[in-house]
Structure formats: C-alpha cells, structure tokens
Amino acid sequence: MYTNQFSYHRVNTVQEAISLLQKNPDARLLAGGHSLIPAMKLRLSDPSALVDISRVAELKGIRQRGNTLVIGAMTTHSEIEDSALLKQLCPLLPEVAHIIGDPAVRNRGTLGGSLAHADPAADYPASMLALGASMKIVGSNGDRVVDADNFFTGMFATAIGSGEILTEIHVPVKTAGVGMAYETMMHPASRYAIVGVAAMVRMSGGVCQEARVGMTGAGHHAMRLSGLEAAVTGKPLDAATLSAACKSLVRPADLLGDHFASADYRAHLVDVYAQRALAAAAGKA
Amino acid sequence: MAEVTKMIGKAIKRREDPRLIQGRGNYVDDIKLPGMTYAAVVRSPYAHAKIKGIDVSRALAHPGVLAVYVGEDMLDINPLPAAWQAGGVKNVAVTPRALAVGKVTHVGDGVALVIAEDRYTARDAVDLVEVEYEPLPAVVDARKATEPGAPLVHEAAANNICMEWECGDAARTSAAIASAEVVVKEEIINQRLIPTPMETRGSLARYDVATGEFTVWMTSQAPHVMRLLLTAFVFGIPETRLRCIAPNVGGGFGQKIFCYADMAFTMWASRKLGRPVKYIEDRSENYKTSTHGRDHVTEVELAGTRDGKVTGLRVKTWANLGGYFSTIAAGIPTTLYGRILTGVYKIPAAHCKVWGTYTNTALVDAYRGAGRPEASYLIERMMDRFAAEIGMDPAEVRRRNYIQPQDFPYDNGLGLLTYDSGNYEPALNKALQMVDYQNFRHEQAEARKQGRYLGLGLSSYVEICGVAPSAWIGAAGQGWGAGLFESANVRVHLTGKVVVTTGSLPHGQGVETTFAQILADELGVPYEDVTIEWGDTLAAPFGYGTYGSRSLAVGGMAMHRSAQKIKEKAKIIAAHMLEAAPEDMVFENGRAFVKGSPDKAKTLAEIALQASLAYSLPQGTEPFLDETTYYDPPNCTFPFGTHIAIVEVDPATGKVDLKRYVGVDDVGNIINPLIVEGQLHGGIAQGVAQALYEHGFYDDEGQLLSGTMLEYAIPTAAMLPWYELEHTVTPSPVNPMGVKGAGEAGTIGSAQAVMNAVIDALSHLGVKHMQMPATPERVWRTIQSSKQAAD
Amino acid sequence: MADKVRIRMTVNGLEQRGEVEPRMLLVHYLRETLGLTGTHIGCDTSQCGACVVHVDGQAVKSCTLFAVQADGSSVTTIEGLVKDGQYHPVQEGFWEKHGLQCGFCTPGMIMAAADLLNKNSNPTDAEIRHALEGNLCRCTGYQNIVLAVQYAAAKMRGEPVTGAAD
C-alpha cells in the first residue's frame, strides 16, 4: 500500500522529460499511473525518480491528419471512449476503451501509458495490431515511427528504448467496407483479458478483401494471427468459413497459463474469440 | 389522543445511514489519538519454515522507527485462546501467538513487529528486517494432510489431526446404505473462500500509564468477548482493565468475530512504549492472514428407494483449519455443519464424521453461514444426484422427503435442538410458480435442440438462526463450553427518552434501526425517542456479539423482555399515581391506565418523570425505569426457503450466465422488510459468488495464488443478477415476536441453487457433478470430458 | 531522501496548501493530513473503489494517485457532496433505497455514481452496473445500489420519486 521513496519531477515538454530520463536512467515516466502506481504500492517496482508527463500539452488530444488519426500518448481511456471523432473514424478504439478497468481508471489511465507498459493482458495492443497502428517514439536522437507489429517485443517489453518517449499513436481512418470488433473474456477479478481478439476486415461483395487480427491476453505479448488472416482473405466470412479457419490458431506451449485459465484453455479461447471477433467485424462492415 | 404509529413491519429507511452517506462514519482507521504510533508486520513469505534468526538492527536504525519486536519479546503474554473445546473428542488446539516463535505455519505468519512514527516509515522498516528461514515442506489440502508422510504442521497434532468428531447413528446408517435400492456417491469439495469485508481488520490500542488500563478500538463483531479473551486468557489481567470499542465496522461476515494477533501485539506494544499503537491490515495482508472460510473435502453417500425416498446419508468430511486453531474454528465444521446435514428432509438414518486438520494455510473459521452453507450445499447437491439417478424430477424428490408441518418440533437425530417450525412445500411451490417451472422445462428442451444449454437449479434449505441456547451450546460435548445469551439494558430517562444498550452490534445489519422499531412499539413511544447504544464494553453489561444470525432472535428479544419489565414497573408506578391497584392496570401504546378507563392514563414520559424524581413512589419501588435482561432463548430458530437459479452455459467457452434468481424465504415475522430484503440480497450474492467466482487458492507450496483483489474475484455489480424475492411467514414459537433471523439465510440457500442449475444445463451430456466454482475453464472441461465419454 | 514537494489544491471548496513526500497517496493526504476520513481504503490494488473522489470533476481512485499529481486541482470528497444542508440526490437515493449496509464502500460508491449521472442523466440498469464495476460492495449484492442510482437519476431529471416507506 505504501511505495518506496522517490523524487518527483513534473515536466511541461517532451524535451524536458527526455533530458531528465537521460540524467537519471533509473527514472520512470509517470503517465496516468494506473499500471505503475499499483506495482509500486506492492513494491514490485521501485524507481528512484518519477517524471510526470501527464500534463505535457503536446502529448494530449485526438486529431485527424489526412487519412491518419493522431492520438497523443497522454490521451486518457475516457477521452478515447467519448471521442466523437474516433467513434466515427475508428470505432474500435472507443469500444475497447469502454471495457478497460472501470470509469475511475479510465479517467486517469492513458493510451500511451498502457501501450508503453505492454502488459500481456492489456486490451489495447490487440486492437493496435488489428488496426495497423503505428507509434511515434521520440528520443534525444530524434524521432521514429514503429509499426504495431514491431512495437510489442515481449512481456512488458516494447520497441521504446531507454531515454525515449512514446508520443503519438497513429491509426488509419476507417475506409469504406471496413468493419472492426473486439471480443474478449475478462478475468473476473483483475478485469484484464484472459484472451482478447481484435479484428479488422475490409469486405467487398460479401468477400473479405483484407483481414487483420490481433490477439492479447493469452501469450507473452500481443501478436497478429497472420495465418488466420490469410485463411479468411478472399472468402465470405460466413459461419462455415470462420469455423473452419479458427481451429488451433495458437499452440498452448506458446501461451501463458494460471489456475484460472490454463494455456490449453486459452488456446481454445483464441479460436472461439477470433471467430467471434471476425464475425462481429464482418457484421459491422 | 392520536394512535402511535406502529413501526414493526414497516420498511423504514435506516437510522444508521445519514452519517455513513456523508462520510461521517467512524471506523477504526479514522481514529487518531495524540502520540499515536503505527505498526507494520514482517510476514513470512514461506508457508512452512523454521525461523533461524532475525536481525532487526537495520530496521531499528531507520529514522522514525521506535521499536522492532520479535516473538520471543512477547513471551510474557499467552497464545490466543481456543474457545471451542469439545468434551469427549480429541482436540489438539494449537493457537497462534502475537508473533510466531521458532517457526511459521503459513504464508503471512507474523514474525516481527515494527513500530514507527508514521505508516510509510513502518512499512519501509519492514523491508529492513532480515529474517533467516529454513523452509520446510508444506501441505495445503485437508485430507492429504492426514496421509502418512505428510509434513507435520504441529508436533502436538499427529497426522495433522486437530480433532475428530462425529454425530448421528453409524450402525443404522451403514445398514440403511447396505440395504438400499439406490446409493449415490460423490466427492464434494466446498472450496476455501476469503470473507472480504470491505474494511480490512485492525486494532488501535492505548495503554494508560497512569491507571494501567487499556482501551482497544477494534474491527470486531464481539467486543465483549474480545475483552474477556484478551484479559483472562492472553494477558492474565483483570477483565476490568480493558475497554473494547467496536465503532463503525465495515462488514464482518464472520471474519471479525475472532481474537487476532494484532489485538494482542498492539496492546503489548502500547504498554511497552506508553503510546497508542495502531495496526491496520492492507488488503493483501487480510487475504493472507485473517481467517478464511469453508474448505471441506467430503465423501458422501446417499441411499434411497426407486420411488424417491431418501433412506440414509453418510458423510465423511475433512475440514481444513489452517496453520493454527482460530478462536472457534472447530465448532464450524461440527456443531454448525454435521448436526444439520439432513436439511429439510426426513432421513431416517444419518451419520457424519469430521476430521479437522492443520495445514500450511491461513486459519479457517466462521464465514457467513459457517457450516450451514457447507451442509446445505452437500445435501442439496446430493438430492439432485439422487433425482438424476432414479430419473425423477428434482422438485418431486424434494417434495417426497420434506419434513411435514405436523412433524414440528422436529428432531433430526443429529444432536441438534428441535427444528422450531416450518412448512417447506409452500415455499417450493411459490418458487416454482415464479419461474413457471413446467414452461421452463419446455424451453430447456427446445434450447437444447438449438445447441443452447439452459439449466435450472433448486435449493431447499433450512438453517440455524439465533445461535444461542447456553444449555445446549455450552453443554459438555458441544464445544463452546460457554453461554451465548445476550444482554440488553433499557432505561427511560426522566424526559421520556429511551436509551437501550445492547451486546449485539450492527456492522451492516441495520439492527440499530430494527431494535428502535421494536422498542418504539413495545413502549409506545415515538421511534425518534429511542436511542440504541452498542459496540462498547462500557455501555452494555455484557454481550456475546453479532454473528450466527442472532442479533434479532437473541439480542432483540433481550430488549423486548427488558421492555416488558419496564412496562410492569410503569404500571406499578402509574397505579400509585392514579391511586389504583397495580393488578387493575394495563399498558397500551405508551400509556398506563386502569382497565376500562383509558381516558385517565399516565404516559410513559409522565411515569418516567415520576420514577426519576422519586419523591412519591409506591412502597418498595426503586426509582428510575431501568431494566436489564440476560436473555437466553430456549432454542435456536430455523428459517427456511427454496431458491431457484436459471443459467445459460456458453458451450464454446464454458462461461455461465446467471439469467434469473428467485428466492422464497421464510424468516418468521419481519420487523423491517427493507432490511430483510437487503440481508437476503447480500447473502445470495455471496453464495452466487462461491458458485461462480471465488476461490481462495493455494498452490502445493502453500503460496496463496489468490492473494490480492487482482486474483480473488469479488463480484462486481455487472456479475450479479436481479434478485426476485418472495416470502412465506411461519412464525417461530421460540420467542414472543415470532422472529427467526435473516443474516445468513441468503448465503446458505444460494450456492447450490446455482451449481445445480449449471449441472442441470449439462445434464443431457451426462454430467452429474462438478466442483465449485464453476469457472469457465472448469465448465468447459466438464463439457469436453463428457463429450469424449459419449464418443 | 526525497525532498518534500509543495502542493496546493482546493478540497471541497477550501484551498489547502502543504508539503508532502512525493510518495504520499492522495487518499492519505485527504485522510491523514486533512482529516477527511470519509474516503476509505479497501484494497491495495486499485480494485475496490472505496477511495473514489472527484478530481477536477472526474471520478478517480485516490489510492492510485499521488497527492502531488493533484497539485493545482479541485478535489471533491464525500464530505463535500452536501450542498446548503441538502443531500446530493445520490446520497438521498442510497438512504431511501437501502443502498448501503456497513457503509464502508458507500462514499466511493456514491462518488462513482455521481460521476456517472454527470455524464448520463438516464442510465439503464446495465449502464449503472457497468459504471460501478470499479466499486466493490460486499454487503448489498448491488440491487439496491442500482435502485438508489435510478432514484437519484429520476430526481435529478425532476421526475417524481418513491422513497423507502412510501
């Protein structure tokens, strides 16, 4: 319940944050704090300094830039949930945000904080993969943009290097014929995903032209179900196709398991929720 | 004169609430005393280990740390007491000390105590205490603990058996089973639960250096009992040297009945330091170290005839007591379990054998329902098993075996007092009607054709409320060895205001309101003029406290009787005032008058004034209206009912959707319907939670894998159903108000309704039983294995 | 060790200034420093919601926020909900509908419900339950809490409401 001591630095710009991180390699960025503070309270995390970036204006807000939606890393789950722009141009994200944690958590927790933390059971990563999002990362040597496919590198591990900050999330604007959905089984206590599958499909003439499917919760990090994507592309997404395609999508040996849900069961759930997510996405296309 | 409005039976809102809805409650952690210090505990990360050494030097040197103590420092006080000592059975009670000495027996066992100026510093210093452990092999399962070669938790308890106990008729039961047309057998696990009151536990102790007296503010359901146990047993000081106060208590559910280490070590450290010491558990500490509930492994056989008559029941239960003996631990799986195993049914032969065993887990003691949910789950699960076996409708099987109205008072032959009153079939009928039972069966059949799994589960329960009669519970062989009466003092002050002090105390049950309703009607005074005082050993003369659904049927009756005594005395004084004979007086609606002359009456306020001024009282009458009762009822009360759950199981994932929950409860006469409904709702929620969500889960090394709220699933609003409740009313003959009690009924009636529904949903696959909780994976696996069996 | 940090915030309409260790949680600042003990602590993993307060008009879990993070903010706790001697409609609803038993979760539950009604004046049963998923109650089984929030919503919309013994 009580964290260790640390020094606290509130910054107003990304550059300030970067220079503080460089000075103190043990410092952690504090965004909404809804992953970090609980870990610190259980003394599982013990940074000597926190750099509070939650008020950095340049990290906030949702805007459209051509065919891309640019979401500031410090945008809260609530802001995503309520965003009229997203509801129109990328309805998957408000849908996912709506089931994260609870309202009080959503009022503080941020998209950037969640992605940077890369909890293997977080909900957003699956949708980032399905949407084909990309992440802008800024460091002292300038900035770079990393595809979601290359962003989640392991359990609690991302492409963000030391001294770097995730500043923006770029999401393509939904185009004609596109449907997207997220289907999940939530852990009844933690409310994190046991298995969550996000699907984005582009349909034309009743046939799937493109599919992207992201899975979270079951493995060490969120990942694409590429085989499934290939298996359904070029086909109608009817029950028979989906049922045939969603079989043994992942190997239990590659998954996490605990006393609530074993790896075998999670592997089964990936099949079930992938099928449901694709069906729901097709229904919305 | 206007008729006084009757309060009994009215759904009035609670008088407890205004302070609580404004954040003006007064819970233990809200209290701040001058010079107060904060305690934090160094806890064992091992389930079973020898303590080889403790180095406190770094912690002591930490700025802000006042003291660090270890178990050996506190050897001048005794271990916590065992308040259940059955005669005639083996009972090796090894109770915890304020801090562990020599070895630890479960994860979270306290090994050192840090006292600091603030809570952050105290927590910091915990990390600076260095403890050297020698880990030992652990055992966590109640039955495995008794097997040869199992690690021994306590030298004194061979095979980890704390106690062996039995009830019923072994020979007759064996004969019934041997000669039965049908015998169904099952292994039934009633999993470990963590009670989880929303307020964790804690103590704030203040030692008065000048007088040598202690005051302890505690999160307790029984402050008077704690005073007795802490003084007479732990500290060896006069009972008068300790005042225990339970202010607002944020839920108890049994977990706050018991005597805990923190009560003792805060007192001890406060005396040592001459400053108040506060200890409040974190939630993770609460999960690891405050008592858990249930945790039975049971082998059961039920015998019957092909036409649906149950003829015998044989039960063997291994009850997990945890790493030490908690205050009344062994009473739960025995007296409150074995003696009511036959439930609402007339079963001619029954026998129950119980082994209470030590394991390397948190201590297990009463949790809401305490023994009765385990009993009720067992028999109701087996009635469904039996019904399935003989191919009879489960409602019909129940009907054929119910104890009939003319059978009361009913002796079940298991050593319980007689069931007071009951009429079981109307509750069943009403519940079946509410769910439109026949129609449901059609719907279920139709759904199955579409591959949808619908299920309906029945539960007919009876429970023991108003747990008290000292002559029974205190008798040799029962185990408590003490009474469970309750006291109440009623005073009418000279202004006519009524003050009641009681040993019962509310921590959510609303009894402050209920009690005031009773007193208002009995004395015929405005409800607002009645004040109920509770929770302080300086207020009520004595009290056994609030648990076992006994506040109303025992505590409430104590004040009801005090009110009668007040009225008797009031009549004597009023007779004097009216120059009439006392025997001609009647007392009605707050007024005393000569029978037949209600126009010439003295109000209670006028009589109280006369009694208080006291210059003109009848010969031999003491001043003041002040009456105390120690009420010891002649029997317990036995509420009952039928609950029905309807579920749909997702065949693909095993996820259970609880679609409807219907309950028909008979809790006797009802004082406040709003409060009774609330008690039932909350009770049902906890039973549903056992069926579907909660599991206090240890791995084989004794690590609690459900050690925080991130893993232990307390249901949220979205995980619980709408409760559709109705009542039947069968008054209890045990007490003058005909009340029974409602605090635990919901929990006792519910888990099996849900589990029976889940199993019913899968019955067409050949599923006969499944253990709780029915988590998605467990249900899914059950479906898979039954499909494989069918292939 | 770490230097104390100066903070300033408005709590229930009153300006508060102080110096705190950076690690002091907002809930401890409110309870221990300001004596506002109506905000409770029921867990250590941000699950239970007994600590919910409003920061700049939004429900937050004050156990998952350092006091320094609320620097410059306006905070409302359960103690600040009564206006001009009148209960907030949610408080009134909880009383009328028996939406509390032990009362420990109640302040956080009321603050969370008030936050919901600020955003949705006419929530369905399901919406209320979803909005309260971050607030655990062990006593009521939630049904009366749902009724309490519906009562408050109706009252805030100016519709007639029915109380406990009406």
Side-chain angles (χ1 to χ4, degrees):
Chain A
M1 188 66 199
Y2 312 96
T3 76
N4 260 311
Q5 300 266 17
F6 55 84
S7 62
Y8 174 80
H9 312 272
R10 184 187 301 142
V11 296
N12 294 310
T13 66
V14 170
Q15 279 317 313
E16 261 183 273
I18 290 171
S19 62
L20 274 169
L21 287 179
Q22 278 178 332
K23 266 186 250 167
N24 185 350
D26 188 37
R28 289 282 306 267
L29 292 173
L30 176 64
H34 275 55
S35 299
L36 181 58
I37 296 173
M40 289 173 70
K41 282 164 65 182
L42 296 173
R43 299 206 173 192
L44 301 172
S45 178
D46 188 16
S48 63
L50 291 183
V51 178
D52 184 351
I53 54 171
S54 63
R55 300 192 195 188
V56 175
E58 59 191 293
L59 293 177
K60 294 176 93 67
I62 304 164
R63 54 195 184 280
Q64 186 179 357
R65 199 162 62 202
N67 287 331
T68 303
L69 292 159
V70 178
I71 306 172
M74 290 302 96
T75 305
T76 64
H77 309 325
S78 289
E79 287 161 350
I80 289 170
E81 186 183 1
D82 296 338
S83 164
L85 192 64
L86 287 180
K87 281 179 187 169
Q88 190 197 340
L89 301 179
C90 183
L92 181 63
L93 284 180
E95 193 188 310
V96 172
H98 183 65
I99 59 155
I100 292 175
D102 58 68
V105 167
R106 298 199 284 275
N107 284 337
R108 293 294 304 182
T110 64
L111 175 60
S114 171
L115 295 178
H117 183 61
D119 191 303
D123 294 296
Y124 280 132
S127 54
M128 292 295 135
L129 292 167
L131 291 168
S134 52
M135 289 73 183
K136 183 177 169 188
I137 297 168
V138 178
S140 53
N141 298 326
D143 54 288
R144 59 204 172 98
V145 175
V146 177
D147 286 347
D149 288 341
N150 299 313
F151 183 80
F152 304 104
T153 56
M155 200 185 252
F156 299 106
T158 68
I160 305 170
S162 98
E164 289 189 321
I165 296 182
L166 169 63
T167 57
E168 290 174 357
I169 293 86
H170 300 168
V171 182
V173 166
K174 177 175 173 274
T175 54
V178 166
M180 39 184 79
Y182 182 60
E183 294 286 331
T184 178
M185 178 182 283
M186 209 180 251
H187 189 284
S190 72
R191 313 183 56 68
Y192 276 91
I194 296 293
V195 164
V197 179
M200 197 265 314
V201 296
R202 189 160 50 81
M203 303 293 288
S204 176
V207 172
C208 175
Q209 307 297 321
E210 184 193 356
R212 291 179 66 97
V213 185
M215 180 267 290
T216 192
H220 293 82
H221 59 87
M223 56 189 87
R224 291 266 298 276
L225 297 174
S226 319
L228 173 62
E229 293 170 2
V232 297
T233 304
K235 294 187 183 145
L237 297 183
D238 52 28
T241 308
L242 291 178
S243 158
C246 295
K247 279 208 163 70
S248 307
L249 294 171
V250 286
R251 293 189 321 145
D254 297 333
L255 302 184
L256 300 169
D258 58 25
H259 80 276
F260 183 79
S262 67
D264 285 349
Y265 179 58
R266 285 174 201 246
H268 166 73
L269 289 183
V270 171
D271 294 351
V272 173
Y273 285 95
Q275 189 174 340
R276 288 179 182 180
L278 278 169
K284 292 176 188 176
Chain B
M1 183 176 163
E3 189 78 350
V4 179
T5 321
K6 284 288 175 204
M7 298 306 290
I8 291 174
K10 254 182 109 174
I12 59 163
K13 58 192 181 188
R14 303 193 318 167
R15 54 168 57 192
E16 286 91 338
D17 293 356
R19 55 192 187 262
L20 301 177
I21 57 175
Q22 298 183 73
R24 307 289 175 177
N26 182 40
Y27 299 87
V28 172
D29 199 18
D30 300 344
I31 299 165
K32 224 176 178 178
L33 299 177
M36 191 168 82
T37 65
Y38 294 83
V41 178
V42 180
R43 297 190 177 282
S44 170
Y46 297 104
H48 196 194
K50 284 186 185 155
I51 304 169
K52 304 298 283 184
I54 305 175
D55 182 354
V56 302
S57 55
R58 282 178 66 214
L60 264 178
H62 191 67
V65 171
L66 297 165
V68 183
Y69 303 115
V70 298
E72 279 80 1
D73 295 327
M74 300 185 187
L75 291 176
D76 56 340
I77 55 173
N78 297 314
L80 305 180
W84 192 91
Q85 294 281 358
V89 305
K90 190 176 125 182
N91 192 18
V92 188
V94 183
T95 59
R97 286 191 164 273
L99 290 172
V101 175
K103 85 172 208 172
V104 292
T105 66
H106 61 98
V107 164
D109 209 352
V111 297
L113 179 70
V114 174
I115 312 286
E117 294 286 358
D118 70 84
R119 50 177 95 215
Y120 282 79
T121 305
R123 175 63 187 84
D124 289 342
V126 163
D127 287 348
L128 300 175
V129 174
E130 287 159 23
V131 186
E132 194 194 331
Y133 296 98
E134 180 191 323
L136 300 169
V139 62
V140 300
D141 179 273
R143 185 171 51 185
K144 284 184 190 155
T146 63
E147 290 169 2
L152 200 57
V153 181
H154 296 291
E155 291 293 330
N159 303 316
N160 292 312
I161 294 172
C162 167
M163 55 103 200
E164 285 183 60
W165 179 95
E166 62 186 310
C167 68
D169 188 326
R172 230 168 72 186
T173 306
S174 292
I177 288 170
S179 65
E181 287 177 23
V182 184
V183 178
V184 280
K185 275 173 93 157
E186 203 59 76
E187 176 172 304
I188 292 186
I189 293 170
N190 203 292
Q191 85 272 28
R192 178 181 286 249
L193 302 178
I194 310 182
T196 318
M198 290 314 300
E199 177 202 34
T200 59
R201 285 188 335 86
S203 310
L204 165 56
R206 180 179 66 193
Y207 178 72
D208 188 324
V209 179
T211 62
E213 288 170 0
F214 292 95
T215 304
V216 182
W217 288 262
M218 49 175 57
T219 54
S220 178
Q221 300 175 229
H224 283 86
V225 179
M226 292 308 106
R227 178 182 63 176
L228 172 71
L229 299 181
L230 288 164
T231 55
F233 294 89
V234 181
F235 279 78
I237 56 174
E239 204 182 343
T240 47
R241 290 279 174 82
L242 172 60
R243 176 184 182 187
C244 292
I245 301 171
N248 286 129
V249 176
F253 314 116
Q255 193 184 64
K256 293 175 181 171
I257 301 172
F258 317 116
C259 192
Y260 282 97
D262 52 277
M263 297 170 180
F265 69 58
T266 53
M267 285 174 66
W268 187 92
S270 176
R271 183 167 68 181
K272 195 88 176 166
L273 294 167
R275 291 175 64 177
V277 177
K278 182 193 268 186
Y279 170 77
I280 303 290
E281 292 173 334
D282 286 350
R283 175 59 62 189
S284 313
E285 290 182 291
N286 174 269
Y287 274 12
K288 288 178 185 71
T289 68
S290 286
T291 55
H292 294 177
R294 318 280 191 256
D295 205 345
H296 287 193
V297 177
T298 294
E299 293 169 4
V300 52
E301 294 155 279
L302 183 142
T305 63
R306 287 267 158 219
D307 65 352
K309 274 290 202 188
V310 180
T311 54
L313 178 71
R314 183 159 60 195
V315 173
K316 289 182 195 168
T317 293
W318 288 262
N320 200 331
L321 302 183
Y324 302 98
F325 187 103
S326 172
T327 312
I328 56 169
I332 310 309
T334 53
T335 306
L336 294 177
Y337 166 74
R339 299 208 190 282
I340 192 149
L341 265 171
T342 49
V344 291
Y345 309 109
K346 257 180 169 167
I347 301 180
H351 181 253
C352 171
K353 169 107 198 213
V354 177
W355 293 266
T357 68
Y358 290 117
T359 62
N360 297 112
T361 63
L363 285 61
V364 180
D365 208 322
Y367 164 52
R368 198 173 196 170
R372 291 151 287 162
E374 296 91 315
S376 191
Y377 180 73
L378 192 70
I379 186 66
E380 285 306 285
R381 196 69 277 295
M382 290 310 287
M383 291 304 280
D384 265 27
R385 269 293 267 113
F386 177 53
E389 194 71 22
I390 59 172
M392 189 178 281
D393 184 287
E396 183 55 29
V397 170
R398 283 171 171 80
R399 231 185 274 281
R400 290 191 184 188
N401 290 282
Y402 280 150
I403 300 157
Q404 295 301 309
Q406 65 273 15
D407 297 330
F408 294 91
Y410 175 77
D411 181 354
N412 71 4
L414 293 170
L416 192 61
L417 296 168
T418 54
Y419 291 17
D420 60 342
S421 63
N423 190 4
Y424 301 147
E425 206 164 338
L428 172 72
N429 291 340
K430 203 165 187 174
L432 291 173
Q433 197 187 336
M434 285 165 77
V435 297
D436 196 350
Y437 186 60
Q438 290 314 323
N439 188 44
F440 171 84
R441 291 294 178 202
H442 292 301
E443 234 181 89
Q444 182 182 37
E446 286 306 306
R448 280 178 181 169
K449 287 180 198 158
Q450 303 157 20
R452 289 174 55 218
Y453 300 173
L454 289 180
L456 179 148
L458 278 169
S459 156
S460 288
Y461 73 93
V462 60
E463 65 129 332
I464 314 166
C465 264
V467 173
S470 304
W472 171 62
I473 206 87
Q478 289 299 343
W480 259 269
L484 276 181
F485 58 84
E486 195 51 85
S487 82
N489 172 268
V490 177
R491 299 189 302 277
V492 188
H493 286 254
L494 75 172
T495 52
K497 307 291 183 200
V498 177
V499 177
V500 182
T501 63
T502 166
S504 298
L505 62 160
H507 32 279
Q509 300 87 341
V511 294
E512 195 178 327
T513 301
T514 306
F515 288 165
Q517 286 178 269
I518 294 172
L519 265 292
D521 277 13
E522 283 303 319
L523 295 178
V525 297
Y527 167 78
E528 294 74 23
D529 285 356
V530 183
T531 300
I532 312 291
E533 293 180 349
W534 45 267
D536 187 342
T537 53
L538 278 193
F542 192 73
Y544 275 104
T546 284
Y547 42 85
S549 302
R550 59 194 299 280
S551 292
L552 179 57
V554 190
M557 290 314 107
M559 61 193 73
H560 182 270
R561 188 162 287 184
S562 285
Q564 309 314 313
K565 294 179 188 171
I566 292 276
K567 287 192 279 190
E568 285 310 308
K569 186 166 175 181
K571 282 196 287 188
I572 293 168
I573 295 171
H576 180 72
M577 294 164 81
L578 293 166
E579 296 180 347
E583 56 271 24
D584 295 338
M585 300 297 291
V586 287
F587 189 101
E588 266 178 34
N589 295 330
R591 300 154 77 247
F593 49 87
V594 177
K595 198 172 179 185
S597 310
D599 46 327
K600 267 184 71 184
K602 294 292 174 191
T603 66
L604 185 65
E606 289 169 327
I607 300 166
L609 182 64
Q610 184 90 4
S612 302
L613 298 179
Y615 55 78
S616 173
L617 290 176
Q619 193 74 33
T621 300
E622 287 178 13
F624 222 84
L625 296 179
D626 179 335
E627 297 290 347
T628 298
T629 301
Y630 294 85
Y631 177 75
D632 207 340
N635 194 356
C636 304
T637 60
F638 296 82
F640 60 88
T642 290
H643 286 198
I644 296 179
I646 294 179
V647 304
E648 178 160 2
V649 173
D650 180 342
T653 63
K655 203 159 185 275
V656 176
D657 177 18
L658 179 49
K659 295 170 84 74
R660 272 188 87 181
Y661 197 95
V662 163
V664 179
D665 297 283
D666 193 320
V667 298
N669 288 331
I670 290 175
I671 310 295
N672 186 326
L674 194 65
I675 288 175
V676 167
E677 298 283 294
Q679 289 300 303
L680 290 167
H681 289 177
I684 293 166
Q686 289 182 17
V688 169
Q690 172 165 26
L692 296 180
Y693 309 120
E694 295 180 22
H695 191 180
F697 185 83
Y698 283 93
D699 68 11
D700 290 340
E701 277 74 50
Q703 292 295 328
L704 180 61
L705 298 188
S706 59
T708 74
M709 278 192 173
L710 278 166
E711 298 91 17
Y712 191 81
I714 299 296
T716 68
M719 291 156 70
L720 288 168
W722 195 261
Y723 318 103
E724 305 167 50
L725 302 184
E726 292 285 348
H727 297 281
T728 60
V729 178
T730 308
S732 172
V734 172
N735 58 64
M737 298 192 73
V739 298
K740 291 195 169 183
E744 296 165 291
T747 308
I748 293 163
S750 49
Q752 60 274 12
V754 177
M755 284 309 292
N756 283 345
V758 172
I759 292 160
D760 180 54
L762 308 180
S763 58
H764 62 299
L765 305 173
V767 173
K768 291 176 175 171
H769 182 64
M770 185 194 315
Q771 309 294 5
M772 296 188 285
T775 57
E777 178 165 7
R778 178 171 280 158
V779 176
W780 176 74
R781 283 194 183 280
T782 305
I783 295 170
Q784 297 313 305
S785 54
S786 57
K787 277 183 176 165
Q788 277 163 12
D791 287 347
Chain C
M1 267 306 278
D3 292 336
K4 287 196 171 183
V5 180
R6 260 177 219 281
I7 56 168
R8 191 174 75 180
M9 66 182 83
T10 305
V11 180
N12 299 334
L14 290 176
E15 190 176 282
Q16 303 286 353
R17 290 161 186 265
E19 278 199 339
V20 296
E21 278 189 353
R23 65 171 169 167
M24 180 179 260
L25 295 167
L26 178 62
V27 68
H28 286 134
Y29 180 68
L30 295 170
R31 288 180 52 82
E32 309 273 318
T33 309
L34 303 184
L36 294 168
T37 54
T39 301
H40 295 153
I41 301 169
C43 76
D44 45 12
T45 51
S46 314
Q47 246 71 36
C48 84
C51 67
V52 169
V53 300
H54 294 180
V55 173
D56 296 328
Q58 287 199 314
V60 306
K61 291 184 164 175
S62 63
C63 75
T64 314
L65 195 70
F66 297 114
V68 290
Q69 291 175 278
D71 180 32
S73 296
S74 173
V75 177
T76 305
T77 71
I78 187 72
E79 290 93 340
L81 220 51
V82 170
K83 288 274 180 308
D84 306 321
Q86 294 290 307
Y87 288 132
H88 185 284
V90 176
Q91 290 174 304
E92 191 180 310
F94 270 69
W95 193 14
E96 293 291 347
K97 295 297 179 187
H98 189 23
L100 64 148
Q101 290 180 27
C102 82
F104 196 79
C105 76
T106 309
M109 197 67 84
I110 288 175
M111 298 307 285
D115 183 61
L116 164 68
L117 296 183
N118 285 340
K119 293 168 181 162
N120 181 351
S121 63
N122 195 5
T124 62
D125 178 317
E127 284 169 339
I128 293 169
R129 289 176 186 267
H130 181 64
L132 296 179
E133 280 181 308
N135 294 79
L136 299 176
C137 170
R138 193 58 158 167
C139 293
T140 64
Y142 302 104
Q143 185 158 313
N144 286 347
I145 289 176
V146 172
L147 293 173
V149 177
Q150 285 171 342
Y151 173 103
K155 176 127 184 174
M156 287 166 80
R157 294 193 304 268
E159 292 166 17
V161 287
T162 312
D166 295 349

